[in-house]
Amino acid sequence: MKKLELIVWLLTSRCNLSCLHCYTARFPRHGELNESEALAVVESAARTGVKHISFSGGEVFLRQDTLKIMRRATELGIATSVVTNGSQLTERVVAELADCKVFTILSIDGAKRETHEMIRGDGTWEFVTSAAAKMCRSGIAFSTVMAVNKFNLNEVRGYLSLAKELGAIGGCLIPVMLTGRATTEMILSPEETILVLEDVQEAAERLNFWVSLWCLPFAELVVKSKRVFSSFCRTSNQEIDIDPQGNVLLCDVLDIAFFNVRQKEIHDAWTEQENNPLVKSLSSSQMLPQLCRDCPLKRKCKGGCFARSQLMTGDIHAPDPLCPRVAKVL
């Protein structure tokens, strides 16, 4: 059995923003793990040999104990990262992040103030750019992430230029998923996805800037740049996703839960997840969709993002509907 290496942990669903595409808006704002329960998860993760915990929300720094939880992970030898909207990154918080060596990812949803604030709300541009400046002064390595949708897809090149100007060491992009507050009107088409990937490649090469693509496992059909990286979660998944209430989810955008970390050690939760028939079927080459069987990426991609298939087609084993090859536009 593969070793568990990563926990993606939605530490809270509380947030001070109401972003148009928020996927955690579907979670209740009550019942999240308390401080002692959260610290127990960190201890359990360390005993299991977890190498990295990625904290997210909501806005994680609305919890008063977030830094304490991160510091404990660091003390136990677990690397940490955090996704934040930047609003709570005071000089004190930034200093703590620097001391704990937390890799920070700032959410920026456009190359222009107008686009970013249309998606995230008035005043959000100022605090995210201010947060970037504070991190530069503190020597924190950070990147940015943009949730790509129909409102900002034409700003991909500008967004990556902005990320570099702000001092980020790289930029990330993730397509908006049809969950939470997101609507079908926001979701990229396969044709638009090709344009986004072409813009990513051009900008990465021109800027000499690394780019990480999340939830786009078919990206290598379009992108050939060595500066652009995409993940293949069906084949390389050594991860557990935990929601704010402590449920272990198949994916953090799906409401398919296996059990709760209040009830199990992380090691036991991981073993049970790996032995789950649905998990096994999603990584099985025998379940590869017919449309994907002659694809050059079939061994890595294995049908693409199963969460997007479930959300957009109702069939978790269907080929990724965003893939341009599946849509026959490539």
Side-chain angles (χ1 to χ4, degrees), residues 11-60:
L11 201 55
T12 183
S13 58
R14 287 180 280 157
C15 195
N16 54 332
L17 306 184
S18 296
C19 302
L20 297 181
H21 52 58
C22 180
Y23 72 104
T24 58
R26 72 190 199 277
F27 294 116
R29 297 296 174 97
H30 61 274
E32 65 188 27
L33 299 179
N34 61 34
E35 181 180 306
S36 62
E37 290 171 329
L39 289 171
V41 170
V42 173
E43 301 276 350
S44 182
R47 289 192 292 272
T48 305
V50 170
K51 294 180 179 179
H52 190 138
I53 299 178
S54 176
F55 295 96
S56 187
E59 174 46 50
V60 290

Side-chain angles (χ1 to χ4, degrees), residues 79-199:
T80 56
S81 59
V82 63
V83 180
T84 173
N85 64 34
S87 64
Q88 308 301 304
L89 295 191
T90 63
E91 297 288 355
R92 181 189 69 81
V93 171
V94 169
E96 288 268 6
L97 293 174
D99 189 51
C100 291
K101 296 180 174 58
V102 179
F103 186 79
T104 305
I105 304 168
L106 276 178
S107 293
I108 301 179
D109 279 336
K112 300 181 294 187
R113 177 192 296 266
E114 295 78 11
T115 307
H116 176 85
E117 294 195 347
M118 183 268 290
I119 295 170
R120 292 191 157 258
D122 293 344
T124 56
W125 182 261
E126 182 60 35
F127 61 61
V128 76
T129 52
S130 174
K134 291 172 187 172
M135 288 193 290
C136 284
R137 290 195 295 271
S138 296
I140 293 180
F142 73 97
S143 70
T144 60
V145 62
M146 182 166 102
V148 191
N149 58 80
K150 287 186 186 291
F151 300 139
N152 61 15
L153 69 94
N154 293 319
E155 297 185 20
V156 166
R157 297 187 192 201
Y159 152 74
L160 291 171
S161 295
L162 172 67
K164 186 169 185 178
E165 289 170 13
L166 290 173
I169 65 170
C172 308
L173 294 97
I174 183 171
V176 167
M177 295 284 198
L178 190 57
T179 188
R181 291 198 190 98
T183 62
T184 53
E185 290 75 22
M186 301 184 73
I187 305 301
L188 297 177
S189 68
E191 293 88 347
E192 290 167 333
T193 302
I194 291 175
L195 296 177
V196 166
L197 293 175
E198 289 174 343
D199 284 351

